[in-house]
Amino acid sequence: GKSIEYYRAKGLDEKAAAYFASGRKQITSVIPRKDFTLILGFDSGESRLYDMNPLLQAPSSPLPAVGEFPQVYLDQDHCVCWDIDPAVDSQAVWSNKVDLCPDSCYLDSVPFSGNVSA
């Protein structure tokens, strides 16, 4: 493992440097909520809340339509994903899915211990 100082020297901010120094996390579960947030479970045992609203409201957002938000899943790389066309196998056609990497999901989320169905 590398130290926080190592990652800071590479240009990462303190939060990202601490994350990478402590070891990357894998997402083990994802639960969509009505308020367009996701509850993410990590292999560290942590639950974190990821607010998707800013990404969904971006004018050039590649994310699926709001009605398709609940169709979220984890792929084989533990990335949060949505299929662009549910009739197409995203494992066979890589360009058919929108995905979020586990590292950014962790860094851009906050600890969660509340009600799942908000």
Side-chain angles (χ1 to χ4, degrees):
K2 303 207 182 331
S3 69
I4 292 175
E5 293 75 26
Y6 170 84
Y7 291 106
R8 293 286 289 143
K10 296 289 184 185
L12 297 180
D13 66 20
E14 189 70 27
K15 181 179 177 183
Y19 167 78
F20 284 105
S22 70
R24 297 173 75 186
K25 316 282 189 287
Q26 282 190 346
I27 301 172
T28 57
S29 64
V30 59
I31 300 169
R33 297 178 2 145
K34 295 175 199 161
D35 64 355
F36 302 106
T37 59
L38 300 172
I39 299 173
L40 304 173
F42 288 87
D43 61 350
S44 61
E46 293 175 81
S47 291
R48 296 183 66 86
L49 183 69
Y50 187 87
D51 185 358
M52 294 291 301
N53 284 288
L55 292 173
L56 290 168
Q57 294 169 5
S60 60
S61 176
L63 293 170
V66 169
E68 296 164 358
F69 183 77
Q71 308 308 317
V72 66
Y73 66 94
L74 295 179
D75 70 5
Q76 68 276 4
D77 297 317
H78 302 273
C79 296
V80 173
C81 301
W82 290 267
D83 290 332
I84 295 168
D85 180 349
V88 174
D89 180 2
S90 290
Q91 288 198 21
V93 181
W94 67 267
S95 61
N96 185 55
K97 74 179 174 185
V98 175
D99 61 357
L100 305 174
C101 108
D103 298 329
S104 63
C105 285
Y106 188 91
L107 289 167
D108 294 337
S109 62
V110 296
F112 177 79
S113 62
N115 184 353
V116 172
S117 64

